Amino acid sequence: MAEPILTVRGLTVDFQTNDGVVRAVKGIDLDVRPGETVAIVGESGSGKSQSMMAMMGLLASNGRASGSARYRDQELIGLSDRRLNRVRGAKITMIFQEPMTSLDPLYRIGRQIAEPLVHHGGYSKAKARPRVLELLRLVGIPDPERRIDAYPHELSGGQRQRVMIAMALANDPDILIADEPTTALDVTIQAQILKLLADLQTKLGMAIVFITHDLGIVRRFADRVYVMRSGEVVEQGQTETLFTTPGHPYTKMLLAAEPTGRKAPPPANAPVLLEGRDVEVSFKIGGGFLAGPTVYLRAVDHISLALRRGQTVGIVGESGSGKSTLGRALLRLLPSRGSIRFETHDISNADRDDMRPLRRELQLVFQDPFGSLSPRMTVGQVITEGLLVHEPSLPARERDRRAVEALREVGLDPVMRNRYPHEFSGGQRQRIAIARAMILKPKVVVLDEPTSALDRSVQKQIVDLLRTLQKAHDLSYIFISHDLAVMRAMADYIIVMQRGRIVEEGPTEEIFDAPKDLYTQTLMAAAIDQTRFRQTA
Amino acid sequence: MLSYVLRRLASAIPTMFIIVTLSFFMIRLAPGGPFDIERPLDPLILENLNKAYNFDKPLWQQYLLYLGNLLQGDLGPSFTRRDFSVVDLFSTGLPVSIQIGLSAIVIALILGTTLGAIAALRQNSLTDYGVVGVATLGITIPTFVIAPILSLAFGVMLGWLPAGGWGTWQHMVLPVATLALPQTAIVARLTRGATIEALRSNHVRTARAYGLPPFVVVVVHTLRAAILPVVSYLGPTAASLLTGSVVVETIFGIPGIGRYFVQGALGRDYTLVMGTVVVIALFIIVFNLIVDILYALLDPRVRYD
């Protein structure tokens, strides 16, 4: 076996926080050999990303790395930025989880890909251009001569990730670190990016370190796997061995982490709480004052649905299908046409003031547990903010008591209410977001992709939590998701949306067992493929 | 872009019309008139005066007359400075105000962004605390406190600079410093905050992960994003600085136009007040347009069409 080109020994990462030193990585060992694919698997907070960040000198300012990470004969830990800059971007490169924000929005992509060429490869700006075009072609960007002058916002997420990959390949690296490169992308795009990486590896022969939570990806791509949990490597080995005979209980748990169970439909006589009839939402996308006729995009096109007490109506569709828009319109967070009723109130034309007394009963939980919590408020303040509006006379002590209760209910330690959101993992933040909704004792909760940004095993926990809460409080959910595995575990009635319209609807079992529409069948095929994949794993 | 600019300029016309109309009638609502002085005038003289200045005509006629003159660039005669027309007053005063205001803006922009960026790059260091502390001081001390202190210290006690008046470049130093100090402080704070935010962004992490030199990481990928909030702040601020400051002009005895608004309003100098309103409104409209154009140049995501 070839000598490793990267040898990590006893790598430790500490973060200085207000609660003292937090050790995120607890002395891990790891080897990467030329041309091989190594996967580091773990849930969020396991330290898998931070160990690579430490090596690349990218820790946050309160982070400190110790131990050793040798690339060929060069120790990377403790290296000055100036000397580290000869390695990163040239010999070791990295692509990130967030294709939408990892490129500078203010510069053309051609210039950004050229930067590592100019600073490491000795290219002049003019000489770099043909090489950039070559790279764009290599990563499969269509029409590279035109796209080279595009700004990041003019490209889709998948294309931006391709641009990142082009940048990573610019100087023929020995090691490419891919930190959850497909997590933020649609399923079909995910497959394309993964295939691209595999092809490029065959063609160029660099080693890939794949940081991921997705075991499907691991099995397809990795030669060897390291399983990480709370800062430690709990198990490692050849991919096949690890999947067929997992040793550590944690690995076994990861392999089985698929949301399971079903949601029983509510009794047939359960009252309808929220009902939309012929709901239509249009967005102005051009024209207007002094600029010609107004152009509208119909995001939600004549959709009717009824939500009973205790029911979960699932809305399935790919990004851009209008499912989130529909959810918002039903809560009157967006202007819409058609009729919407909540209990006995006709809220079709309700304005902000009309809606205010109803708001506490109609809550919303968002997809992004990072963006939807104010970073400058403590968790206690975040979850009690609604009480300040809806029960202003509540004494502070009672508010605090309810915060404690709400946090307990979502499975968080109430002591944490004095901390800030950034100190929590994605799953914990989503629990906080759920607590914020639950503290108001709502009747209807719109859950907009609440599990999509989370690890599989965390997803499972959130699904369990949401079902428990639903049962305990007789809640009605509108559950929006593109993830059919989660959908099957959550919803008892499903609406499939495509380009603003319903293409199919029915009880969950019916949709899954006998999809009638072609589009639904395609979606199902992909989902079943993934499920089978995990089961054989 | 050109069509956007033309459209914005076109939309300035109704805006100006509304501003002029509202201010014309509002100032007339205030009790008193330009010829009310402590010793009442002979009724005959008053009558003649009113006739000469068209005050005997109905208000709507006066309004139309004013609009007509305005369209020809005539802002009317001043009532408190009887030998001058309002245009005369502005043509001598405005250049002075612009000179002082522009110098203050340029200094605030250069000094403020530099200090703010340095503080952000050394966040939580002594330098940072120093800049933030001085900036806070600069924001909290009002100009009517700074101006006399500067005048006293450098003009009277040290005798390095003239304590007031107008003429040479030395006369400019203290008033410009007075105006620039709080603006520098605000710009520094804005820049610091925006730079810290930008340094934490994912694309700056990318730049560092690709081993780009510190200069490229900071100047190319951080500061350009950080300057955006400063640009939007400076637009309206520039409009107000360039049209003069009552406090600074009064304390240093500078013949700018900042005083006219207050003096005109107190003396019921209708035309002078209207003239000031027109000039300030024009500046605000123009500078907001400049800000929007700069924004589009700095940030490719902003497109007007």
Side-chain angles (χ1 to χ4, degrees):
Chain A
M1 206 180 276
E3 280 297 298
I5 43 170
L6 181 70
T7 318
V8 176
R9 290 290 174 267
L11 179 65
T12 300
V13 179
D14 290 324
F15 287 99
Q16 194 74 47
T17 70
N18 291 337
D19 300 326
V21 175
V22 173
R23 181 151 289 189
V25 179
K26 299 168 183 163
I28 61 160
D29 296 349
L30 193 141
D31 293 310
V32 179
R33 297 190 175 77
E36 75 169 339
T37 304
V38 174
I40 307 177
V41 186
E43 310 188 88
S44 46
S46 62
K48 56 190 194 301
S49 289
Q50 292 308 333
S51 52
M52 292 298 114
M53 293 288 183
M55 223 174 68
M56 297 286 277
L58 296 175
L59 290 178
S61 57
N62 64 338
R64 231 179 52 80
S66 54
S68 158
R70 294 188 81 78
Y71 163 72
R72 295 186 187 272
D73 290 320
Q74 177 75 67
E75 175 61 50
L76 299 177
I77 303 298
L79 202 60
S80 73
D81 269 5
R82 206 168 51 83
R83 307 232 349 244
L84 194 57
N85 279 351
R86 289 185 209 153
V87 179
R88 50 183 186 184
K91 293 290 133 201
I92 307 181
T93 57
M94 197 161 180
I95 59 175
F96 300 95
Q97 181 174 355
E98 308 87 353
M100 305 310 274
T101 52
S102 290
L103 293 165
D104 193 330
L106 305 183
Y107 297 94
R108 299 175 197 279
I109 59 159
R111 174 182 170 151
Q112 297 191 56
I113 299 172
E115 275 182 330
L117 286 170
V118 170
H119 294 289
H120 300 293
Y123 281 80
S124 69
K125 273 185 184 152
K127 284 246 174 65
R129 195 174 168 94
R131 170 74 178 142
V132 171
L133 284 170
E134 189 187 321
L135 287 164
L136 286 174
R137 237 168 261 130
L138 188 67
V139 298
I141 294 273
D143 199 1
E145 278 83 2
R146 224 160 45 85
R147 290 296 163 83
I148 191 172
D149 291 321
Y151 287 101
H153 71 272
E154 295 166 333
L155 304 180
S156 67
Q159 284 178 328
R160 289 190 218 186
Q161 199 59 293
R162 284 173 194 265
V163 170
M164 278 303 297
I165 295 172
M167 211 165 140
L169 298 176
N171 291 307
D172 292 320
D174 282 340
I175 303 173
L176 169 65
I177 302 170
D179 187 356
E180 303 263 12
T182 59
T183 308
L185 303 171
D186 269 348
V187 192
T188 48
I189 313 293
Q190 273 184 22
Q192 292 170 11
I193 295 288
L194 290 171
K195 185 171 179 318
L196 173 69
L197 282 173
D199 290 350
L200 289 170
Q201 190 179 27
T202 324
K203 214 180 286 179
L204 307 172
M206 73 280 184
I208 294 184
V209 178
F210 219 110
I211 303 172
T212 185
H213 66 273
D214 189 332
L215 292 162
I217 294 175
V218 174
R219 187 154 205 200
R220 244 172 300 173
F221 288 97
D223 302 317
R224 287 190 306 118
V225 187
Y226 292 86
V227 181
M228 278 190 77
R229 184 197 193 179
S230 2
E232 289 172 86
V233 172
V234 295
E235 186 167 6
Q236 59 157 308
Q238 297 296 315
T239 308
E240 267 320 303
T241 329
L242 195 114
F243 272 77
T244 44
T245 52
H248 197 278
Y250 181 70
T251 315
K252 289 179 186 159
M253 194 278 281
L254 274 185
L255 288 171
E258 175 102 337
T260 48
R262 296 282 184 278
K263 155 91 177 60
N269 60 355
V272 172
L273 279 188
L274 187 66
E275 186 179 20
R277 216 171 295 150
D278 284 327
V279 178
E280 188 188 314
V281 182
S282 302
F283 292 116
K284 207 174 108 173
I285 52 170
F289 182 59
L290 295 175
T294 317
V295 187
Y296 288 100
L297 171 84
R298 197 164 289 175
V300 172
D301 198 356
H302 288 95
I303 288 194
S304 301
L305 65 83
L307 178 67
R308 294 174 182 281
R309 181 184 295 153
Q311 191 183 28
T312 302
V313 171
I315 307 176
V316 184
E318 296 194 310
S319 50
S321 61
K323 53 192 194 302
S324 291
T325 310
L326 173 62
R328 265 152 229 228
L330 288 172
L331 297 191
R332 292 291 305 155
L333 292 168
L334 280 176
S336 62
R337 281 194 281 182
S339 102
I340 303 171
R341 294 185 70 80
F342 171 59
E343 295 188 311
T344 54
H345 313 272
D346 180 0
I347 55 172
S348 313
N349 296 305
D351 61 21
R352 275 160 166 260
D353 292 334
D354 302 334
M355 285 308 291
R356 198 162 291 130
L358 302 177
R359 282 274 172 242
R360 83 175 286 174
E361 307 193 317
L362 297 166
Q363 287 294 307
L364 183 64
V365 173
F366 299 95
Q367 169 177 7
D368 179 6
F370 295 89
S372 57
L373 302 175
S374 166
R376 299 184 223 294
M377 289 164 78
T378 66
V379 166
Q381 287 169 334
V382 165
I383 59 180
T384 54
E385 199 181 17
L387 287 177
L388 285 177
V389 176
H390 292 288
E391 283 185 60
S393 58
L394 212 60
R397 280 185 65 168
E398 173 61 14
R399 262 205 312 278
D400 194 54
R401 198 191 60 72
R402 291 202 196 171
V404 170
E405 190 185 305
L407 283 173
R408 265 206 202 109
E409 194 162 28
V410 300
L412 288 175
D413 185 349
V415 176
M416 293 172 168
R417 68 190 181 284
N418 295 321
R419 298 207 200 158
Y420 288 88
H422 70 268
E423 298 173 53
F424 292 87
S425 70
Q428 287 172 322
R429 286 189 218 202
Q430 203 54 290
R431 285 172 191 269
I432 294 166
I434 293 169
R436 168 170 64 179
M438 292 305 161
I439 202 169
L440 297 171
K441 311 262 177 247
K443 289 183 177 154
V444 173
V445 184
V446 172
L447 301 156
D448 191 353
E449 305 258 14
T451 60
S452 302
L454 306 174
D455 289 344
R456 263 289 176 210
S457 70
V458 184
Q459 278 183 5
K460 188 180 179 174
Q461 296 162 14
I462 296 289
V463 165
D464 290 342
L465 170 68
L466 288 170
R467 283 197 307 221
T468 312
L469 290 169
Q470 180 169 42
K471 213 170 205 169
H473 303 291
D474 213 5
L475 293 167
S476 307
Y477 289 150
I478 288 181
F479 186 78
I480 299 165
S481 182
H482 66 273
D483 185 333
L484 289 160
V486 176
M487 187 55 83
R488 171 130 77 163
M490 280 293 299
D492 49 63
Y493 190 89
I494 288 179
I495 287 172
V496 184
M497 279 184 76
Q498 189 187 21
R499 275 182 245 114
R501 290 167 193 244
I502 296 181
V503 293
E504 187 165 0
E505 64 181 302
T508 304
E509 292 306 318
E510 244 169 63
I511 296 278
F512 272 85
D513 295 342
K516 292 181 198 75
D517 181 80
L518 190 67
Y519 177 70
T520 319
Q521 285 166 4
T522 323
L523 278 180
M524 291 299 148
I528 289 163
D529 192 37
Q530 277 191 356
T531 315
R532 194 191 302 139
F533 197 78
R534 285 200 184 83
Q535 278 162 358
T536 54
Chain B
M1 188 63 163
L2 184 67
S3 84
Y4 170 77
V5 173
L6 291 177
R7 250 182 315 164
R8 277 284 295 270
L9 287 176
S11 78
I13 294 169
T15 312
M16 282 306 291
F17 174 75
I18 292 167
I19 291 171
V20 167
T21 308
L22 277 179
S23 358
F24 184 89
F25 290 104
M26 271 166 71
I27 181 84
R28 294 306 180 93
L29 284 178
F35 309 120
D36 293 341
I37 47 179
E38 280 174 34
R39 194 161 47 83
L41 287 172
D42 184 281
L44 197 65
I45 299 177
L46 189 63
E47 195 182 311
N48 281 335
L49 274 173
N50 280 338
K51 204 171 216 161
Y53 290 114
N54 293 322
F55 286 134
D56 56 338
K57 297 205 171 69
L59 198 56
W60 63 270
Q61 271 188 21
Q62 295 180 39
Y63 169 68
L64 290 181
L65 276 171
Y66 184 80
L67 271 191
N69 289 336
L70 185 63
L71 287 179
Q72 297 162 39
D74 180 4
L75 294 169
S78 168
F79 299 116
T80 46
R81 291 153 196 265
R82 303 256 165 93
D83 294 333
F84 298 96
S85 75
V86 173
V87 171
D88 289 338
L89 290 174
F90 282 134
S91 60
T92 53
L94 195 55
V96 175
S97 291
I98 289 179
Q99 232 177 317
I100 292 178
L102 198 62
S103 314
I105 292 165
V106 170
I107 289 170
L109 187 61
I110 295 171
L111 218 58
T113 46
T114 313
L115 287 175
I118 291 174
L121 292 172
R122 309 204 173 147
Q123 203 193 345
N124 298 335
S125 69
L126 272 181
T127 325
D128 184 24
Y129 296 141
V131 170
V132 172
V134 172
T136 311
L137 213 66
I139 294 168
T140 40
I141 303 180
T143 45
F144 58 80
V145 175
I146 299 173
I149 290 177
L150 288 181
S151 177
L152 188 69
F154 294 98
V156 180
M157 286 157 71
L158 294 169
W160 293 352
L161 292 160
W166 189 246
T168 63
W169 67 266
Q170 284 101 328
H171 288 101
M172 276 180 68
V173 177
L174 292 181
V176 167
T178 308
L179 283 180
L181 190 69
Q183 298 307 331
T184 309
I186 295 171
V187 170
R189 291 196 63 131
L190 275 174
T191 311
R192 178 182 176 273
T195 308
I196 288 173
E197 193 107 5
L199 279 172
R200 289 196 195 131
S201 64
N202 285 334
H203 68 260
V204 170
R205 180 186 64 190
T206 305
R208 291 175 57 215
Y210 279 81
L212 303 184
F215 176 82
V216 176
V217 174
V218 171
V219 177
V220 175
H221 291 291
T222 309
L223 290 186
R224 182 162 162 191
I227 205 79
L228 289 172
V230 176
V231 169
S232 43
Y233 167 76
L234 273 184
T237 307
S240 102
L241 283 182
L242 294 181
T243 48
S245 146
V246 192
V247 174
V248 169
E249 287 175 13
T250 310
I251 292 175
F252 290 105
I254 294 164
I257 63 162
R259 305 159 294 164
Y260 292 156
F261 199 49
V262 176
Q263 288 176 2
L266 292 178
R268 300 286 180 273
D269 191 341
Y270 298 145
T271 42
L272 188 57
V273 171
M274 289 301 298
T276 319
V277 167
V278 168
V279 169
I280 291 177
L282 270 179
F283 269 78
I284 288 177
I285 287 171
V286 168
F287 275 91
N288 278 335
L289 180 59
I290 293 177
V291 165
D292 289 343
I293 294 171
L294 275 179
Y295 236 90
L297 293 178
L298 284 169
D299 188 343
R301 287 166 297 181
V302 178
R303 281 282 170 271
Y304 312 110
D305 31 39

